[in-house]
Amino acid sequence: MDETPVHTEETVTVSSTLPPQDVVTSTTTVVPPPGVPNPTQKVFQKKKKIFRAYQIIWFLLAVIEILLAFRMLLKALGSDPKSGFATLIYALSDPLALPFTGLVGITQTQTSTFDWSIIIAAAVYALLTFGIVQIIHMSKPVSKQEVEQTVDEA
């Protein structure tokens, strides 16, 4: 049998203006045994994890989009691919742009290159991210307001 500790508090109030009478108020508080998590805390922790997953997914998309934007900008401005920063950006963004290379034509002038496939890559990554977030949201819908409301109540 599960025994739950019970805390009972009794308050006696005597009014001095009225004829003396005792008013007894009794409060009973049920305290869960140690080691058993509060059910509302469990829900909060689950929602917090889901919300944190949303944040991580959107952060990763932002990093990918920034890398692709720098790649496109450096190519469009005709930067020297041997410079340190350009080499770093190209090395980091090559795996992201590789699946889309040659998908559409490249607009090229004397010094600059405009690679349309980078724009397509950025759009595809954004759509994939949105789809992943929607799949997670369908399995367990959580909004930022729900998390904040739960935090305020806790």
Side-chain angles (χ1 to χ4, degrees):
M1 182 172 184
D2 185 10
E3 291 188 30
T4 306
V6 176
H7 172 71
T8 305
E9 188 177 298
E10 194 171 295
T11 307
V12 177
T13 307
V14 179
S15 176
S16 61
T17 57
L18 298 175
Q21 58 180 328
D22 291 340
V23 177
V24 177
T25 305
S26 181
T27 306
T28 304
T29 307
V30 177
V31 180
V36 176
N38 186 348
T40 56
Q41 190 65 20
K42 275 179 151 178
V43 171
F44 169 72
Q45 291 301 327
K46 187 172 185 178
K47 288 182 178 185
K48 185 176 173 184
K49 286 178 186 176
I50 293 170
F51 186 69
R52 182 67 63 202
Y54 287 164
Q55 288 179 322
I56 290 170
I57 291 168
W58 287 114
F59 176 77
L60 290 174
L61 174 67
V63 170
I64 289 170
E65 296 287 333
I66 289 169
L67 285 172
L68 290 174
F70 271 118
R71 180 185 184 93
M72 189 175 70
L73 183 66
L74 290 174
K75 283 189 172 201
L77 294 175
S79 67
D80 181 14
K82 296 177 186 172
S83 72
F85 183 70
T87 303
L88 174 69
I89 294 297
Y90 291 149
L92 292 174
S93 65
D94 271 342
L96 301 169
L98 187 62
F100 304 95
T101 302
L103 188 61
V104 292
I106 296 174
T107 305
Q108 192 163 1
T109 64
Q110 292 175 348
T111 58
S112 66
T113 304
F114 191 82
D115 192 353
W116 292 96
S117 62
I118 295 174
I119 293 175
I120 293 172
V124 168
Y125 288 124
L127 288 173
L128 282 173
T129 302
F130 181 74
I132 291 169
V133 168
Q134 289 306 308
I135 289 171
I136 294 172
H137 189 70
M138 284 186 330
S139 67
K140 181 64 181 156
V142 171
S143 67
K144 184 177 179 187
Q145 291 78 17
E146 278 184 291
V147 173
E148 288 174 351
Q149 179 183 6
T150 308
V151 169
D152 290 340
E153 290 174 0

